[in-house]
């Protein structure tokens, strides 16, 4: 129980002080999804392929449950494991040192003053929530039993601690959607190739920074921070969980875009943390207008 206060307070301080994540979260809260509109036909003239919404019957529902239940269980268990680690096993460390690390990361995010490996991890939290938003928001309209927006926006501040429950509870939406039915931010930013290119460029830069400065001394310093400081330990576990669990919304997004025969590639994209999912956003097919 003694781990709860330091872990949560350090994690909140670290992420809420990160300008990119806070600014993006504030901008996203009112723009992600359009207000509910009257229903209309999903097949429109000029589309290269029809958009068909399939209503599952009893047999289809049971089949869908058998394929979707594992994803719900795995994402839920991953969230419970992350919370359990943060509360019961993460090192308490020094609160003053954690605050020092946060200040240094904000003032000199790529200098190596903290640790090159952890700097790349810390700055990856500006990328991976944006990747999740781009994967989840096309299927976010009228989500049940919980709305998508609070969890997606909250992930910029608290990562998988906020996003995990949504992944475990939400409806999985694999049917095609029209781009014109999406909210302003989703349609014009999250679906845009320039956004994917920027995310990929930043992810590549962080990977290069970590790799080019790698040395036994840098690794030993990171391991020391990992074993002694809550900030480093919990953040590393959070990013690892986010990087693994992105597989499931990626497969869903592939099917939504007609890539049913390419879902095996999701494992390859997931295998390269941060960079792989960003690359997927760049190469995935665009939604029909």
């Amino acid at each position: 129980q003694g781990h709860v206060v330091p872990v949560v307070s350090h994690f909140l301080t670290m992420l809420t002080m990160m300008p990119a994540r806070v600014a993006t979260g504030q901008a996203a809260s009112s723009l992600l999804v359009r207000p509910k509109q009257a229903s209309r036909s999903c097949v429109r003239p000029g589309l290269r392929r029809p958009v068909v919404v399939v209503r599952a019957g009893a047999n289809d529902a049971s089949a869908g449950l058998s394929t979707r239940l594992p994803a719900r269980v795995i994402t839920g268990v991953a969230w419970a494991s992350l919370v359990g680690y943060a509360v019961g096993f993460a090192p308490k460390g020094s609160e003053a040192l954690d605050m020092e690390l946060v200040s240094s990361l904000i003032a000199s995010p790529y200098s190596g003053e903290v640790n090159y490996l952890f700097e790349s991890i810390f700055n990856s939290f500006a990328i991976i929530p944006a990747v999740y938003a781009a994967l989840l928001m096309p299927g976010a309209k009228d989500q049940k039993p919980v709305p998508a927006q609070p969890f997606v926006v909250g992930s910029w501040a608290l990562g998988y601690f906020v996003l995990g429950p949504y992944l475990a509870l939400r409806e999985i939406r694999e049917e095609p959607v029209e781009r014109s039915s999406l909210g302003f931010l989703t349609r014009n930013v999250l679906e845009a190739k320039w956004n994917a290119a920027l995310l990929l460029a930043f992810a590549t830069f962080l990977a290069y920074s970590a790799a080019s400065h790698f040395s036994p001394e840098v690794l030993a310093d990171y391991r020391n921070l990992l074993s002694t400081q809550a900030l480093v330990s919990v953040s590393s576990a959070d990013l690892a969980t986010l990087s693994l669990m992105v597989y499931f919304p990626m497969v869903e997004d592939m099917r939504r875009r007609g890539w049913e025969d390419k879902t095996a590639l999701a494992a390859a994209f997931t295998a390269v943390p941060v960079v792989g999912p960003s690359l997927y956003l760049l190469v995935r097919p665009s939604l029909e207008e």
Side-chain angles (χ1 to χ4, degrees):
Q1 296 299 326
H3 291 288
V4 177
V5 174
V7 169
V8 174
S9 63
H10 300 331
F11 200 54
L12 280 169
T13 302
M14 176 194 73
L15 299 181
T16 54
M17 290 180 69
M18 187 170 184
R21 301 175 71 181
V22 175
T24 309
Q26 291 172 340
S29 58
S30 61
L31 297 175
L32 289 174
V33 176
R34 281 182 173 179
K36 189 182 295 185
Q37 299 177 349
S39 60
R40 58 180 178 178
S41 171
C42 288
V43 181
R44 298 171 57 192
L47 290 179
R48 291 191 296 275
R49 62 185 178 91
V51 180
V52 180
V53 176
V54 179
R55 301 296 181 186
N59 292 336
D60 293 335
S62 62
L65 180 63
S66 66
T67 58
R68 296 173 183 182
L69 184 59
R72 295 177 186 274
V73 171
I74 293 170
T75 53
V77 168
W79 176 79
S81 300
L82 178 63
V83 172
Y85 172 75
V87 171
F89 298 96
K92 292 176 64 175
S94 164
E95 185 173 352
L97 179 55
D98 273 354
M99 295 301 295
E100 233 180 90
L101 294 176
V102 170
S103 299
S104 298
L105 287 164
I106 293 174
S108 305
Y110 317 112
S111 65
E113 183 178 341
V114 173
N115 176 272
Y116 280 111
L117 296 181
F118 184 61
E119 286 173 358
S120 293
I121 290 171
F122 183 86
N123 286 290
S124 293
F125 283 102
I127 301 172
I128 200 70
V131 171
Y132 269 95
L135 296 174
L136 294 171
M137 291 313 299
K141 189 175 181 180
D142 301 326
Q143 262 290 349
K144 299 175 183 178
V146 291
Q149 296 94 314
F151 296 93
V152 172
V153 172
S155 68
W156 263 283
L158 289 173
Y160 201 78
F161 288 93
V162 169
L163 199 59
Y166 175 69
L167 293 179
L169 295 172
R170 71 193 178 99
E171 290 181 349
I172 296 178
R173 305 276 181 82
E174 297 177 347
E175 65 272 11
V177 297
E178 295 175 341
R179 183 168 178 164
S180 58
S181 70
L182 304 177
F184 178 85
L185 184 62
T186 305
R187 185 175 67 253
N188 295 292
V189 178
L190 299 180
E191 284 290 317
K193 294 302 181 184
W194 61 261
N195 176 62
L198 287 177
L199 292 174
L200 178 59
F202 189 28
T204 303
F205 165 74
L206 293 179
Y208 172 78
S209 176
S212 62
H213 293 100
F214 182 84
S215 68
E217 293 76 17
V218 170
L219 179 60
D221 183 49
Y222 171 70
R223 285 178 171 173
N224 178 60
L225 291 170
L226 189 68
S227 63
T228 58
Q229 293 302 125
L231 177 70
V232 178
S233 179
V234 174
S235 298
S236 299
D238 189 14
L239 184 64
T241 307
L242 285 164
S243 298
L244 289 172
M245 294 303 105
V246 76
Y247 171 84
F248 297 103
M250 190 185 298
V251 168
E252 177 186 340
D253 189 72
M254 285 180 165
R255 290 172 177 162
R256 183 185 298 124
R257 296 166 192 272
W259 267 15
E260 294 88 349
D261 58 335
K262 293 182 173 65
T263 54
L265 290 174
F269 287 118
T270 304
V272 186
V274 187
V275 174
S278 300
L279 176 61
Y280 168 72
L281 295 185
L282 187 62
V283 301
R284 67 179 180 174
S286 299
L287 294 173
E288 302 287 357
E289 291 292 341

